[in-house]
């Protein structure tokens, strides 16, 4: 296995790639269109999206780094892009929801002042499968708290979790959503004006000097982390890949414990990587 740290060249980036997605969604008009199209809500104003906002309310807690964190007068919306198979989607959305609420409450709000909260995941692949490991194949999964004994009773906690499965775009009945999911899954715009606008924005960013420098700096940081690990003598053969995998999953918010189990790296090393990533963010 090669000992060279590999990152995706900036000229090959697509809308769904880490760094590019956040930069495209940094445009408030694009951000509003994505949110309104996928959540069927009207966004009256978007406070400038905070790219990869880190929420870590307690020193010892596991913070999360959000792709796009939006606030307006009555709503808080977290938008996430998911390029690979997502483990434990229910627990992940639960944790993101709790951190978003804590972020609001720590700023002095009372429970009654919590805004409507939306957790939106745009997944390239199906995040849900049954006990027989068969995927459900729905283009969209929407979750809201209701009473088990009587579904007409709603907890009314003003929260909604929506996960889109772009791989099932053909099953989506809403044309505007279907064309967007098609673009996410295939990177082909078709005749949809918005998809073409997104693609044009991607191409402009690729040619933008500031974006190229920022993307390079982000990947240089990842490379520095890998190099430090190599200098400590733990990167040989498959262990280099384990470090690169750990960095990617830490950025997505997975727990150090799970990453250690999955990669075979010592928990202490994963925690060290997490600290370095958080300090740089």
């Amino acid at each position: 296995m090669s000992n060279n740290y590999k990152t995706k060249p900036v000229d090959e980036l697509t809308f769904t790639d880490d760094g590019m997605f956040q930069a495209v969604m940094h445009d408030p008009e694009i951000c509003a269109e994505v949110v309104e199209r996928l959540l069927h809500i009207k966004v009256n104003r978007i406070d400038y999206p905070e790219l990869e906002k880190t929420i870590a309310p307690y020193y010892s807690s596991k913070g999360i780094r959000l792709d796009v964190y939006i606030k307006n007068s009555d709503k808080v919306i977290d938008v996430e892009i998911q390029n690979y198979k997502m483990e434990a989607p229910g627990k992940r959305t639960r944790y993101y929801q709790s951190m978003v609420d804590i972020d609001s409450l720590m700023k002095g709000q009372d429970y009654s002042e919590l805004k409507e909260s939306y957790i939106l995941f745009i997944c390239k692949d199906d995040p849900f499968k049954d006990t027989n490991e068969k995927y459900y194949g729905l283009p969209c999964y929407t979750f809201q708290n209701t009473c088990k004994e009587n579904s007409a009773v709603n907890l009314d906690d003003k929260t909604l979790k929506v996960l889109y499965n772009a791989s099932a775009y053909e099953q989506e009945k809403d044309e505007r959503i279907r064309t967007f999911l098609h673009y996410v899954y295939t990177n082909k715009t078709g005749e949809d004006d918005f998809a073409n606008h997104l693609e044009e924005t991607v191409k402009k960013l690729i040619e933008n000097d500031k974006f190229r420098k920022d993307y390079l700096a982000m990947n240089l940081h990842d490379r520095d982390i890998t190099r430090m690990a190599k200098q400590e003598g733990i990167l040989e053969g498959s262990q280099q890949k384990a470090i690169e995998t750990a960095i990617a999953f830490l950025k997505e918010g997975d727990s150090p414990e799970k990453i250690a189990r999955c990669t075979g790296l010592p928990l202490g090393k994963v925690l060290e990587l997490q600290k370095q990533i958080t300090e740089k963010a």
Side-chain angles (χ1 to χ4, degrees):
M1 180 177 292
S2 170
N3 287 328
N4 295 323
Y5 182 88
K6 296 180 180 179
T7 57
K8 192 168 186 178
V10 65
D11 294 310
E12 296 178 12
L13 292 177
T14 65
F15 172 63
T16 60
D17 284 316
D18 187 38
M20 179 59 76
F21 177 77
Q22 293 89 343
V24 173
M25 293 286 281
H26 193 62
D27 182 323
E29 291 185 3
I30 288 178
C31 197
E33 174 66 22
V34 170
V35 168
E36 292 181 355
R37 186 175 289 214
L38 297 184
L39 293 180
H40 305 287
I41 60 174
K42 183 66 179 176
V43 180
N44 54 29
R45 187 189 78 253
I46 284 188
D47 290 341
Y48 213 68
E50 300 178 47
L51 302 189
E52 292 191 321
K53 174 185 174 71
T54 299
I55 296 179
Y58 303 107
Y59 177 77
S60 60
S61 71
K62 185 174 88 69
I64 57 175
R65 191 167 65 168
L66 307 181
D67 283 346
V68 181
Y69 189 50
I70 307 163
K71 291 184 178 181
N72 69 8
S73 60
D74 60 346
K75 299 178 182 67
V76 180
I77 306 167
D78 168 38
V79 186
E80 301 291 323
I81 193 75
Q82 198 74 22
N83 275 310
Y84 58 87
K85 300 289 185 183
M86 180 166 57
E87 294 186 16
K91 290 183 178 179
R92 175 172 291 196
T93 55
R94 170 184 167 185
Y95 189 77
Y96 276 51
Q97 179 68 67
S98 65
M99 290 296 99
V100 168
D101 286 343
I102 289 175
D103 183 56
S104 295
L105 288 175
M106 288 189 70
K107 293 177 171 57
Q109 286 185 302
D110 186 61
Y111 297 115
S112 61
E113 298 177 279
L114 285 173
K115 299 178 179 181
E116 291 182 29
S117 176
Y118 298 82
I119 304 296
L120 171 61
F121 270 78
I122 304 168
C123 308
K124 294 192 79 169
D125 297 299
D126 199 331
F128 295 105
K129 52 187 175 182
D130 61 23
T131 54
N132 295 318
E133 297 296 303
K134 181 180 178 181
Y135 290 102
Y136 287 102
L138 296 177
C140 181
Y141 301 89
T142 303
F143 300 93
Q144 196 166 27
N145 291 322
T146 56
C147 178
K148 184 176 180 180
E149 288 75 16
N150 185 342
S151 60
V153 181
N154 193 307
L155 191 60
D156 197 30
D157 58 355
K158 305 301 182 184
T159 67
L160 192 71
K161 302 176 183 70
V162 180
L163 296 90
Y164 276 94
N165 167 25
S167 68
Y169 68 87
E170 292 178 318
Q171 310 303 319
E172 175 56 51
K173 296 180 180 179
D174 186 313
E175 183 180 1
R176 296 171 75 245
I177 296 177
R178 184 172 63 252
T179 54
F180 175 77
L181 294 181
H182 171 265
Y183 173 60
V184 168
Y185 189 65
T186 66
N187 199 40
K188 297 178 180 178
T189 60
E191 298 180 359
D192 182 65
D193 290 341
F194 184 56
N196 277 282
H197 179 47
L198 290 173
E199 186 64 14
E200 289 172 4
T201 304
V202 168
K203 291 178 179 178
K204 288 179 181 178
L205 283 167
I206 287 176
E207 298 301 322
N208 182 278
D209 288 339
K210 183 179 186 305
F211 173 78
R212 296 177 74 92
K213 290 176 182 177
D214 289 345
Y215 180 75
L216 178 61
M218 178 180 72
N219 286 296
L220 282 174
H221 171 61
D222 291 349
R223 193 177 298 125
D224 286 342
I225 294 174
T226 306
R227 186 180 298 112
M228 284 187 284
K230 184 177 180 180
Q231 290 172 349
E232 292 168 9
I234 70 167
L235 277 183
E236 293 182 6
S238 62
Q239 285 188 310
Q240 177 179 346
K241 185 62 178 178
I243 286 288
E244 295 172 2
T245 300
I247 292 171
F249 277 84
L250 281 167
K251 285 186 172 184
E252 292 295 335
D254 286 299
S255 72
E257 292 78 11
K258 184 177 79 174
I259 294 172
R261 288 197 305 271
C262 293
T263 62
L265 291 172
L267 177 59
K269 174 50 60 181
V270 178
L271 290 171
E272 208 174 291
L273 294 172
Q274 183 189 48
K275 181 180 178 182
Q276 293 166 355
I277 291 171
T278 302
E279 288 176 347
K280 186 69 177 181

